[in-house]
Amino acid sequence: MPAKIPVLMYHEVAPAEEVAALSQRIYRGYVMTTDVFDRQMRYLADNGFHSLRPEELATALRQTSLASLPAKSVLITFDDGFAGNYLHALPILQRYNLTATVFVIVNEITTPYMMTWNQLRAMTAAGISIQSHLMNHVAMAELTREEAFQELAESRQTLADQLGAAVEVLSLPHGSHHRDYAACARDAGYQAGFSSRLGYARSEERRVGKEWRSRWS
């Protein structure tokens, strides 16, 4: 039984020769070269890791146990929705029979360096889970409850309408949230959310308390 699940967070993947140009728009630390990403995915495949969909992890945590998950499970995620996720990361994932989750900023879809709706539909058809990174890349701690709910609800509904797939999980930009976040997310229809805190997803996450279980059950 897995005691903890690693959640890997990536942003952009690109050939080495494109990194310098991309770094004019994207923080350099967020860009991984395709050869490094390939080596990491090959390591997961060669060592028998099982890539999860986010709803699988969320369900296991809501049930307060990771026992239902395969041994050596891992969740591979991307934040923001950069075009290289489709152009470069997807072929590598497919090469090693791995799946992943992409948390997209809805209002940046089709803008320069970001994926288009058609690319997101192709990702969905390939088995990649497309989930919410809100409408805008905003710090939720700076929003009112009403603004937070609008970001959560509108991004979820827009993605579901455009992609014809369930959107039940979100990643918080900057890992930022406030005390109303869990209630707003639940009311907007989400089942789980990810922050940017370093660490593993563990069965002990349930010990966040009754509030966590009641809000997310």
Side-chain angles (χ1 to χ4, degrees):
M1 181 183 80
K4 57 187 181 180
I5 305 296
V7 180
L8 308 181
M9 181 178 68
Y10 299 94
H11 287 78
E12 178 62 306
V13 175
E17 61 270 20
E18 296 180 10
V19 170
L22 279 170
S23 297
Q24 302 301 311
R25 163 68 188 266
I26 305 167
Y27 170 57
R28 174 62 184 87
Y30 286 171
V31 184
M32 177 172 284
T33 60
T34 51
D35 60 332
V36 173
F37 185 70
D38 186 283
R39 288 201 301 271
Q40 293 187 2
M41 296 304 103
R42 184 171 68 246
Y43 174 87
L44 295 178
D46 288 349
N47 287 277
F49 280 87
H50 174 85
S51 56
L52 296 171
R53 292 181 64 83
E55 58 269 25
E56 295 178 279
L57 178 58
T59 297
L61 289 172
R62 285 202 308 275
Q63 294 171 348
T64 71
S65 173
L66 299 179
S68 62
L69 298 177
K72 304 185 79 170
S73 289
V74 62
L75 187 67
I76 302 167
T77 72
F78 297 83
D79 274 3
D80 299 332
F82 291 110
N85 297 177
Y86 170 77
L87 297 172
H88 308 300
L90 178 59
I92 294 171
L93 291 166
Q94 292 176 320
R95 182 179 306 149
Y96 298 111
N97 295 312
L98 297 169
T99 191
T101 301
V102 182
F103 297 102
V104 298
I105 308 164
V106 175
N107 277 340
E108 294 193 13
I109 296 168
T110 75
T111 64
Y113 300 97
M114 311 304 281
M115 281 187 282
T116 66
W117 282 113
N118 282 340
Q119 289 172 333
L120 289 168
R121 292 184 186 102
M123 294 279 272
T124 300
I128 302 300
S129 179
I130 307 299
Q131 302 291 325
S132 173
H133 204 38
L134 304 187
M135 291 298 295
N136 304 284
H137 202 262
V138 292
M140 188 171 289
E142 300 175 2
L143 304 180
T144 66
R145 180 180 179 129
E146 292 72 21
E147 290 169 337
F149 180 80
Q150 182 174 354
E151 285 279 343
L152 291 160
E154 188 176 355
S155 61
R156 178 176 179 267
Q157 192 62 56
T158 302
L159 289 170
D161 289 346
Q162 289 287 337
L163 303 177
V167 179
E168 298 180 339
V169 183
L170 68 122
S171 172
L172 293 165
H174 316 290
S176 173
H177 60 90
H178 52 51
R179 65 181 183 180
D180 294 324
Y181 151 63
C184 286
R186 177 203 61 203
D187 292 345
Y190 292 93
Q191 299 298 312
F194 291 87
S195 71
S196 298
R197 186 178 66 184
L198 297 179
Y200 293 89
R202 305 172 184 267
S203 292
E204 289 78 6
E205 290 291 290
R206 66 185 184 275
R207 294 196 314 214
V208 172
K210 290 189 294 183
E211 179 182 18
W212 189 93
R213 290 200 298 271
S214 64
R215 291 178 190 271
W216 294 96
S217 299

